[in-house]
């Protein structure tokens, strides 16, 4: 059925389908961004109490990612299907809960819209085949990981490790890069940031980044190969500098307060994944390189 649809539906229709699918997935990614860190913290507390031979954790287990229905974080009212229509519900409700009128975070529509746009761009770039499908998975994991890191300064192993292993497995086909390139890039990506971390810590006594950043860059390397690592780091630094200066200028972030670097690595990695060859060609044309 799918091969037939690939030949019948026009390219633009697949891009539209990817955008709509991205809206739906974006709604689920909001759940992941909000609930996964809470579940991680609960699991850590429970494990720590067990190791220290303390009484078991008495706090209730946070809601799961799939089974528990969505509810308003303020009045705890269970949301109906009409309240959960991606993007549209937030607009119709004017950003407020239907039941208690409390403000609904703009994170919800932003994540849904961003996921939709990025999903459409991936299918525009790679098409609706296997390259596009795995590109969508790559994109969705990056959105979830970035959202969690932005909110909590945590990059969960539950997201970075599957992204890394999936990239390595796909290299066996090979899908995007050959196995040798994927393995080498994963090792270089991890060790490069690991080395910078320790140099910075030895010189300043402070931690400049977290281990999740090492794992994320390793995962990006597994998907794109060693030649992508330097452009990703340069782009992530540029994006981070621009956003950091803008937030400080708008007084949305105080000087000296740490900012998560993972979202910038993820953004740079996604950009290079989708339009990297064109950016490289444009750079070579601009500098006169051949």
């Amino acid at each position: 059925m799918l091969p037939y649809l690939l030949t019948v539906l026009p390219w633009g229709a697949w891009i539209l389908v990817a955008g709509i699918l991205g809206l739906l997935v974006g709604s689920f990614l909001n759940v992941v961004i909000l609930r996964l860190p809470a579940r991680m913290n609960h699991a850590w507390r429970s494990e720590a109490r067990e190791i220290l031979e303390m009484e078991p954790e008495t706090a209730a287990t946070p809601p799961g990612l799939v089974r528990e229905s969505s509810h308003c974080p303020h009045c705890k009212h269970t949301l109906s299907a009409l309240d959960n229509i991606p993007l549209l519900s937030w607009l119709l409700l004017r950003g407020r809960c239907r039941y208690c009128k409390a403000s609904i975070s703009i994170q919800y529509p932003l994540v849904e819209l961003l996921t939709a746009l990025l999903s459409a761009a991936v299918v525009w770039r790679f098409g609706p085949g296997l390259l596009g499908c795995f590109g969508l998975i790559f994109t969705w994991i990056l959105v979830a990981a970035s959202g969690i890191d932005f909110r909590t300064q945590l990059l969960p192993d539950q997201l970075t490790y599957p992204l890394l292993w999936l990239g390595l497995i796909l290299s066996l086909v090979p899908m995007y890069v050959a196995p040798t390139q994927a393995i080498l890039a994963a090792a270089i990506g991890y060790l490069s940031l690991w080395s910078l971390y320790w140099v910075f810590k030895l010189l300043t006594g402070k931690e400049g980044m977290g281990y999740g950043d090492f794992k994320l860059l390793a995962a990006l390397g597994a998907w794109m190969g060693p030649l992508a690592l330097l452009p990703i780091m340069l782009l992530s630094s540029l994006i981070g500098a621009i956003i950091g200066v803008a937030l400080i200028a708008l007084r949305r972030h105080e000087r000296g307060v740490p900012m998560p670097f993972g979202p910038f690595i993820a953004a740079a990695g996604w950009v290079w994944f989708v339009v990297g060859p064109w950016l490289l060609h444009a750079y070579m044309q601009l500098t006169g390189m051949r």
Side-chain angles (χ1 to χ4, degrees):
M1 183 66 178
L2 181 58
Y4 173 75
L5 290 176
L6 290 176
T7 60
V8 171
L9 290 181
W11 197 271
W14 282 111
I15 295 175
L16 179 62
V17 169
I20 295 173
L21 178 61
L23 279 176
L24 299 174
V25 172
S27 182
F28 173 70
L29 295 185
N30 271 316
V31 175
V32 175
I33 291 169
L34 292 172
R35 295 185 182 181
L36 182 57
R39 294 186 64 83
M40 290 167 54
N41 286 325
H42 184 272
W44 292 336
R45 288 196 303 269
S46 298
E47 291 172 5
R49 297 180 74 89
E50 182 178 352
I51 293 172
L52 296 173
E53 298 182 351
M54 299 173 63
E55 292 296 323
E57 177 68 40
T58 57
T61 303
L65 302 183
V66 178
R67 289 188 178 181
E68 286 84 351
S69 57
S70 299
H71 59 271
C72 173
H74 301 283
C75 66
K76 308 302 180 182
H77 196 289
T78 300
L79 303 182
S80 67
L82 292 177
D83 299 322
N84 274 322
I85 302 173
L87 189 60
L88 187 60
S89 289
W90 190 89
L91 293 173
L92 292 176
L93 293 172
R94 297 182 179 181
R96 295 192 175 276
C97 173
R98 182 192 303 275
Y99 309 99
C100 68
K101 306 304 178 184
S103 177
I104 302 173
S105 172
I106 197 172
Q107 171 195 310
Y108 296 98
L110 285 182
V111 169
E112 292 163 356
L113 180 60
L114 176 64
T115 308
L117 294 175
L118 297 185
S119 300
V122 166
V123 171
W124 164 79
R125 170 66 176 85
F126 294 105
L130 286 178
L131 284 175
C133 289
F134 284 110
L136 289 176
I137 296 173
F138 174 84
T139 299
W140 298 338
I141 293 177
L142 289 184
V143 171
S146 298
I148 291 173
D149 196 19
F150 185 79
R151 287 176 56 89
T152 66
Q153 296 192 20
L154 293 172
L155 272 175
D157 290 346
Q158 292 91 329
L159 297 176
T160 54
Y161 279 152
L163 188 65
L164 170 62
W165 287 114
L166 182 57
L168 292 174
I169 291 172
L170 291 178
S171 71
L172 299 175
V173 177
M175 186 72 71
Y176 301 99
V177 293
T180 304
Q181 293 176 300
I183 296 171
L184 183 61
I188 294 174
Y190 186 92
L191 292 175
S192 60
L193 288 189
W194 179 86
S195 302
L196 287 175
Y197 167 88
W198 281 107
V199 169
F200 184 82
K201 187 171 184 178
L202 290 173
L203 292 176
T204 66
K206 301 177 181 179
E207 296 184 355
M209 61 183 70
Y211 276 66
D213 298 326
F214 315 164
K215 300 166 190 175
L216 178 58
L217 187 60
L220 296 177
W223 281 75
M224 289 175 273
L227 294 180
L229 294 176
L230 181 58
I232 287 174
M233 289 309 300
L234 293 175
L235 278 173
S236 62
S237 300
L238 178 61
I239 294 171
I242 293 173
I243 294 179
V245 170
L247 289 177
I248 291 174
L250 295 172
R251 298 183 180 180
R252 297 295 181 87
H253 193 84
E254 297 181 6
R255 295 178 182 270
V257 177
M259 288 186 64
F261 193 50
F264 305 137
I265 298 176
W270 185 88
V271 168
W272 196 259
F273 179 71
V274 175
V275 296
W278 296 324
L279 290 178
L280 180 60
H281 178 73
Y283 173 78
M284 295 178 67
Q285 292 280 31
L286 184 63
T287 58
M289 298 174 61
R290 295 290 185 270

